């Protein structure tokens, strides 16, 4: 009976040893699984950050290209508008100057080069309009030249 009881104890101790070993193995496995989980999460975060940075760099390059393109379009539009405005002002002044010279030549005959040059040098449409009215009222070419000199003197002040 002692042998039988010893065999039972042996089996019980083995069973308990197995249970304890399994429990310890499970605890170790759970601990290791937690470590793996933390490591995989850390690696996932690093990979995600790297991908995010790469995406941000790519997006920043796209934004730069887009904003550069928009800037060029805005600059071109402003340049065209400015050029159109300046061109229209130049064309208006040029046309008024030619009309003034033609009007003076019809009224007073051939213009001296000095008068034609001074009119051609003017680029302000408002001044040319005033001079055209002066030419209409002037009794002689000399009276118009006097008005032209007055205009030059006023500009100097």
């Amino acid at each position: 009976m002692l042998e039988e009881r010893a065999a039972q104890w042996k089996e019980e101790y083995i069973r308990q040893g197995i249970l304890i070993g399994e429990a310890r193995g499970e605890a170790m496995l759970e601990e290791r699984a937690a470590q793996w989980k933390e490591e995989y999460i850390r690696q996932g975060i690093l990979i995600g950050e790297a991908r995010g940075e790469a995406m941000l760099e790519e997006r920043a390059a796209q934004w730069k290209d887009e904003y550069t393109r928009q800037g060029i379009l805005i600059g071109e539009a402003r340049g065209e508008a400015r050029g159109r405005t300046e061109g229209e002002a130049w064309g208006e002044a040029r046309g008024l100057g030619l009309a003034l010279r033609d009007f003076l030549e019809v009224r007073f005959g051939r213009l001296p080069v000095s008068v034609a040059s001074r009119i051609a040098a003017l680029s302000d449409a408002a001044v040319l309009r005033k001079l055209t009215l002066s030419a209409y009222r002037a009794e002689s070419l000399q009276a118009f030249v006097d008005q032209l000199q007055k205009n030059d003197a006023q500009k100097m002040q």
Side-chain angles (χ1 to χ4, degrees), residues 21 28 30 33 37 50-52 62 66 68 73 75 88 93 95 111 114 117 126-127 129 138 152 156-157:
M28 287 174 56
E30 286 177 13
K37 177 182 173 184
R51 286 183 181 167
Q62 290 171 348
E66 177 62 20
T68 299
L73 291 175
E88 288 172 358
L111 297 178
S114 62
S117 296
V127 169
R129 277 194 218 73
D152 289 346
M156 297 278 197
Q157 295 174 352

Side-chain angles (χ1 to χ4, degrees), residues 60-79:
Q62 290 171 348
W63 288 335
K64 179 184 172 190
D65 291 344
E66 177 62 20
Y67 293 145
T68 299
R69 188 183 63 74
Q70 288 179 6
I72 290 169
L73 291 175
I74 290 168
E76 286 175 347
R78 287 180 183 169

Side-chain angles (χ1 to χ4, degrees), residues 22 89 146:
E22 286 176 349
D146 293 343

Side-chain angles (χ1 to χ4, degrees), residues 37-139:
K37 177 182 173 184
E38 287 177 20
E39 178 62 20
Y40 291 144
I41 288 172
R42 190 184 65 73
Q43 287 179 8
I45 290 170
L46 292 174
I47 291 169
E49 287 175 348
R51 286 183 181 167
E53 286 177 13
M55 288 173 62
L56 181 59
E57 287 177 13
E58 181 181 325
R59 190 66 183 130
Q62 290 171 348
W63 288 335
K64 179 184 172 190
D65 291 344
E66 177 62 20
Y67 293 145
T68 299
R69 188 183 63 74
Q70 288 179 6
I72 290 169
L73 291 175
I74 290 168
E76 286 175 347
R78 287 180 183 169
E80 287 175 8
R82 184 175 169 194
R84 189 176 311 111
T85 300
E86 290 176 6
E88 288 172 358
W90 179 85
E92 180 182 10
R94 177 98 167 108
L96 286 169
L98 290 172
L100 176 57
R101 281 189 7 219
D102 290 347
F103 179 74
L104 288 169
E105 285 182 355
V106 166
R107 261 196 95 197
F108 303 117
R110 187 167 192 153
L111 297 178
V113 173
S114 62
V115 173
S117 296
R118 285 170 68 187
I119 292 171
L122 295 171
S123 60
D124 186 342
V127 169
L128 286 161
R129 277 194 218 73
K130 278 185 183 178
L131 289 174
T132 300
L133 292 175
S134 294
Y136 179 76
R137 294 184 191 114
E139 294 179 15

Side-chain angles (χ1 to χ4, degrees), residues 2 24 26 79 91 106 113 116 132 155:
L2 187 57
R24 284 183 183 167
E26 285 179 16
V106 166
V113 173
T132 300
K155 275 178 142 178

